[in-house]
Amino acid sequence: KGIKMSHVFPRNNLGPAPVAVAGDGCYLIDSDGRRFFDGSGGAAISSLGHSNAKVASAVKDQVARLAFAHTSFFTSEPSEELAELLVKNAPGDLDRVYFVSGGSEAIEAAMKLARQYYVELGQLKRSNFIARRQSYHGNTLGALAAGGNRLRREQFFPLLFDVTHIAPCYEYAERSDDESLYDYGQRVAQELEDEIVRLGPDTVIAFIAEPVVGSTMGAVPAVEGYFKRIREICDTYGVLLILDEVMCGMGRTGHLFACEEDKIVPDIVCMAKGLGAGYQPIGAMICSSGIYKVIETGSGFFQHGHSYLGHPVAVAAALAVVQELFSKDLIDRSKLMGEKLQKALLEKLGQHPHVGDIRGRGLFRGIELVYDRNEKTPFAPELMIASKIKAAAFDAGLLCYPMSGTRDGKKGDHILLAPPFILLDKHIDEIVSKLSAAIDVAIS
Ligand code: PLP
C-alpha cells in the first residue's frame, strides 16, 4: 500500500510504492509496520544498516556546528580528516581526494581530470576512453557514455559520445571449455591492447572498469592475472587506469578498496555508495600524487566543480562511516560473513536446476539464473524472471536486487545480494530461505 495521490515522480510505474518510515539495523519498516530485510543494502549502499547511532550523531553535530561552507572559499575539518584517513588506507600513491555527491559525479570528475591531465602535459590528441561491455558507471551523460549497460544506454544513445567497449572478464559465460581461467583472463585483457593500438596509442586517455562488476552482471570479479595484465598494458601506452569502485568499494568485498585483492593500483579510483552508507549522499574520486602534481604545477586548477563539493555534513557522515568500518572490524566481517553467505547459498541453491552460478567477494554476491544449467542457457527475456523474483522476495519481506540482461544487455538474469555488514548468522538463514522461495515462485 502506498500514497495514491502523489506528486512525487516515481522510480517506476509498478503502482504506489509503500512508504518507508523507519530503519532498524538490517531492516526497513513501512507505514503499515511491515519489516523488510535489506538484503541488497538498497543497491549496495547501506553497509552499516539503517540505524547507526554514531553516524546519525556525527550528522547532527556537523549540521549544528557548520552546515555549509563553499569549497571555493574553504576546506572543512571533516573533509581534511576523511581525506587523510582514506589516503592512509589506500593502495600505492593514491593521494588526493575530491569529494562529490554520488557515484556518477565521481566518474564524471575522474573522466574530466584524466583529460585535463593530458591537456596539461600537451598531449592534446588524447580524447578516447575505453571501457567494457556489460558495465555501469552512472546515469549522467559522460558516465552513461562510458558504461556498457545496453538497457540504460539505449534510448539516449544519440546523445552519448563515442567510447569503445571491450569484453568484460566474465568467465562463467564466456570462457571456452578448453581454456584455463588464467588464459581466458589474458585473452580478454589483450582486447585492451588491441583497441589502444587500433585507436592510436597517443589518442587514448584512460581505461575504465569495475574491479567487481555490480548491477549489470551481478558481482562478477575478474580472474587471477587479468587486472595485472590490464595495468601492464595501461603502463605500456601511458593510458590511465580508472577503477570504478562506486559499488564494490568501501569494504563491500572484504577490502576497503576492492582492487587490493587484484593487487593493482589504479591512477584514479571512484567510490560512493558505501562511503556514505546511505546516511548522506556522497561520492569521491582519489587520484595519484603524480596526476595531482601535473595539475598543481600546470594550470593549478582543475576546471570542474559543483555547488555541493565536499559538503561538510555529507563528509562528516562519511568520516563516521569509515571510522565505524575500522573500529568495529566491519571490513573483515564483510569477508567472513560473505564466505558464510556463499556457503549457505551453495548449500540451498547450488544444485537448483535454474541456478547456474553463485559468485562474488565478501558481502557482494551474485546468483545467475539459467533455463538450462548444463548448457548455461538463459531464460527468454519475455519471462521477466528478475522482476518476478524481486516482487516475490519483496512480498516475503526481503529486499534484493535482481536484474535482467546479465549476458548481453537483453538475455540473462541475476540477483545481487549486498546486505549490511552488521548482519548476523540468523539473517543469512532468512536471506537464503526467503530468496529460494522467491526463485521458486517466480520460475514456477
Ligand atoms: N558506478 C557503479 C559501478 C555503480 O554501480 C553506480 C550505481 O549503481 C554508479 C557508478 C553511479 O552511482 P550513483 O547512482 O551514485 O550516481
Side-chain angles (χ1 to χ4, degrees):
K1 272 191 283 171
I3 293 175
K4 299 215 169 54
M5 290 295 292
S6 174
H7 292 283
V8 172
F9 197 133
R11 187 98 185 199
N12 57 49
N13 62 356
L14 297 175
V19 182
V21 294
D24 175 20
C26 295
Y27 293 85
L28 283 168
I29 301 161
D30 76 5
S31 51
D32 289 339
R34 286 195 63 192
R35 293 170 70 83
F36 298 86
F37 184 85
D38 195 356
S40 55
I45 295 158
S46 300
S47 49
L48 300 184
H50 295 280
S51 50
N52 185 291
K54 286 245 165 70
V55 185
S57 81
V59 169
K60 282 187 224 152
D61 289 352
Q62 185 62 46
V63 81
R65 197 167 54 246
L66 168 73
F68 184 71
H70 197 275
T71 45
S72 71
F73 302 103
F74 295 103
T75 182
S76 71
E77 288 169 344
S79 288
E80 293 298 327
E81 202 177 332
L82 179 56
E84 192 177 329
L85 184 59
L86 290 173
V87 166
K88 197 170 102 198
N89 290 286
D93 65 344
L94 292 170
D95 190 52
R96 290 283 176 159
V97 188
Y98 192 86
F99 291 113
V100 292
S101 304
S104 304
E105 278 189 13
I107 295 290
E108 297 284 339
M111 293 174 80
K112 287 179 72 178
L113 179 65
R115 165 66 186 171
Q116 187 173 333
Y117 169 74
Y118 281 117
V119 171
E120 304 265 355
L121 290 176
Q123 299 185 31
L124 302 183
K125 271 169 70 184
R126 290 202 191 251
S127 59
N128 291 310
F129 288 93
I130 302 172
R132 301 190 294 181
R133 297 194 306 274
Q134 295 301 95
S135 61
Y136 179 60
H137 299 300
N139 261 334
T140 49
L141 291 174
L144 196 62
N149 185 311
R150 223 165 101 179
L151 195 71
R152 291 176 184 171
R153 285 165 54 92
E154 207 156 57
Q155 63 177 309
F156 304 106
F157 185 72
L159 310 185
L160 305 178
F161 66 83
D162 266 351
V163 171
T164 37
H165 293 106
I166 63 167
C169 190
Y170 181 21
E171 73 87 15
Y172 168 71
E174 298 189 357
R175 177 172 63 94
S176 53
D177 291 340
D178 57 357
E179 201 172 27
S180 71
L181 284 175
Y182 183 82
D183 288 349
Y184 165 72
Q186 299 300 295
R187 171 165 69 81
V188 281
Q190 184 57 37
E191 288 197 18
L192 177 59
E193 182 163 40
D194 296 346
E195 187 56 18
I196 292 172
V197 170
R198 190 187 72 80
L199 290 165
D202 57 348
T203 72
V204 182
I205 296 175
F207 175 61
I208 309 177
E210 296 164 78
V212 182
V213 180
S215 55
T216 317
M217 293 206 297
V220 179
V223 301
E224 174 109 39
Y226 171 83
F227 271 113
K228 281 208 163 146
R229 179 72 188 121
I230 290 287
R231 181 69 268 185
E232 258 172 38
I233 295 168
C234 288
D235 289 343
T236 304
Y237 296 97
V239 167
L240 298 178
L241 177 58
I242 299 175
L243 290 184
D244 179 348
E245 297 203 1
V246 166
M247 199 178 236
C248 62
M250 294 295 106
R252 179 53 63 195
T253 64
H255 301 273
L256 188 64
F257 293 89
C259 61
E260 289 170 58
E261 186 146 342
D262 302 291
K263 299 189 179 61
I264 52 149
V265 181
D267 300 290
I268 301 176
V269 65
C270 295
M271 67 218 65
K273 299 170 182 270
L275 180 61
Y279 289 86
Q280 285 287 290
I282 184 165
M285 159 195 90
I286 313 183
C287 72
S288 67
S289 54
I291 292 179
Y292 182 73
K293 205 145 213 97
V294 165
I295 308 291
E296 188 187 30
T297 56
S299 67
F301 176 69
F302 177 29
Q303 186 53 58
H304 190 57
H306 303 286
S307 301
Y308 283 148
L309 284 190
H311 192 286
V313 180
V315 181
L319 174 61
V321 168
V322 179
Q323 286 169 337
E324 284 286 88
L325 292 181
F326 286 119
S327 67
K328 296 194 172 145
D329 272 340
L330 290 174
I331 302 174
D332 287 345
R333 188 173 172 80
S334 166
K335 188 167 166 39
L336 175 81
M337 296 305 279
E339 279 156 14
K340 286 190 182 179
L341 177 59
Q342 175 80 8
K343 189 161 165 275
L345 287 168
L346 281 170
E347 267 164 25
K348 182 80 179 176
L349 294 168
Q351 299 308 313
H352 191 287
H354 296 299
V355 171
D357 193 28
I358 303 174
R359 60 204 173 210
R361 289 179 182 167
L363 281 171
F364 198 37
R365 297 284 156 184
I367 299 150
E368 183 160 341
L369 300 151
V370 285
Y371 173 70
D372 181 321
R373 218 181 126 84
N374 294 326
E375 299 295 319
K376 301 183 180 176
T377 331
F379 281 102
E382 311 78 77
L383 293 174
M384 305 210 326
I385 295 293
S387 319
K388 286 182 185 158
I389 292 174
K390 183 172 178 181
F394 192 82
D395 286 347
L398 173 70
L399 308 179
C400 58
Y401 188 2
M403 275 272 287
S404 294
T406 318
R407 293 292 173 85
D408 59 2
K410 282 222 147 61
K411 284 192 243 120
D413 300 273
H414 66 260
I415 304 156
L416 189 67
L417 294 174
F421 304 167
I422 58 167
L423 89 169
L424 305 172
D425 288 346
K426 66 176 183 189
H427 295 134
I428 290 185
D429 297 340
E430 182 174 353
I431 296 175
V432 172
S433 63
K434 288 185 171 167
L435 187 62
S436 71
I439 291 173
D440 289 341
V441 167
I443 294 179
S444 64

